[in-house]
Amino acid sequence: MTHVKALAIKGIMTIIVLYLVLGLGFGFTFGDTLLMTLVLGVISYLLGDLYVLPRWNNMIATLADFGLAFLVIWLMGMPLSMGMTGGEVALAALFGAIAMAIGEYCFHFYMMSKEIGKKHYLETRTDS
């Protein structure tokens, strides 16, 4: 249940951020933004939040999420952007990735406070 709640929070944050940047700023449709949200949300949750964050730290996970967001938005934006040049899509991806990185940095504090994805088997055991 904790993963469902975390994914819901991440999904709401992502759709808001991407629609503000891509939809209102660059003219992407809501459907395109929703599709990018679903793909980016699942991939970044698995890689950034459950793999990178528990092993390293918030800043490394945020940088990984930035790179991932840029690639996903750019690669998915190219066929979805109807009439935009490659440079415009890259600019949209850059702005979207920056906004997502800020959101992810804050979301990671939630993940750490709830200890979601924490690797308990890596902790030192003490027998009493």
Side-chain angles (χ1 to χ4, degrees):
M1 188 66 180
T2 57
H3 290 290
V4 173
K5 185 176 178 181
L7 276 168
I9 292 168
K10 184 180 190 76
I12 291 167
M13 175 200 65
T14 304
I15 191 69
I16 290 170
V17 167
L18 289 184
Y19 187 71
L20 288 173
V21 174
L22 301 178
L24 299 180
F26 289 90
F28 281 83
T29 67
F30 182 78
D32 294 343
T33 307
L34 181 62
L35 180 61
M36 285 187 220
T37 296
L38 294 173
V39 171
L40 181 60
V42 170
I43 294 172
S44 70
Y45 187 74
L46 293 173
L47 291 178
D49 301 331
L50 296 181
Y51 182 77
V52 176
L53 182 61
R55 286 166 178 76
W56 290 283
N57 59 37
N58 192 359
M59 189 54 65
I60 300 296
T62 301
L63 290 172
D65 284 328
F66 170 81
L68 182 64
F70 180 80
L71 287 174
V72 168
I73 295 168
W74 183 44
L75 293 174
M76 290 186 72
M78 291 300 286
L80 298 174
S81 64
M82 301 302 170
M84 290 175 68
T85 66
E88 291 171 328
V89 176
L91 187 63
L94 178 64
F95 288 150
I98 289 169
M100 282 303 303
I102 294 167
E104 287 288 343
Y105 183 79
C106 298
F107 179 70
H108 293 158
F109 287 112
Y110 170 77
M111 294 287 291
M112 291 183 293
S113 72
K114 300 295 182 185
E115 296 186 347
I116 300 171
K118 183 177 178 184
K119 299 297 181 189
H120 294 287
Y121 55 84
L122 294 177
E123 295 175 359
T124 305
R125 286 188 171 183
T126 57
D127 292 324
S128 300

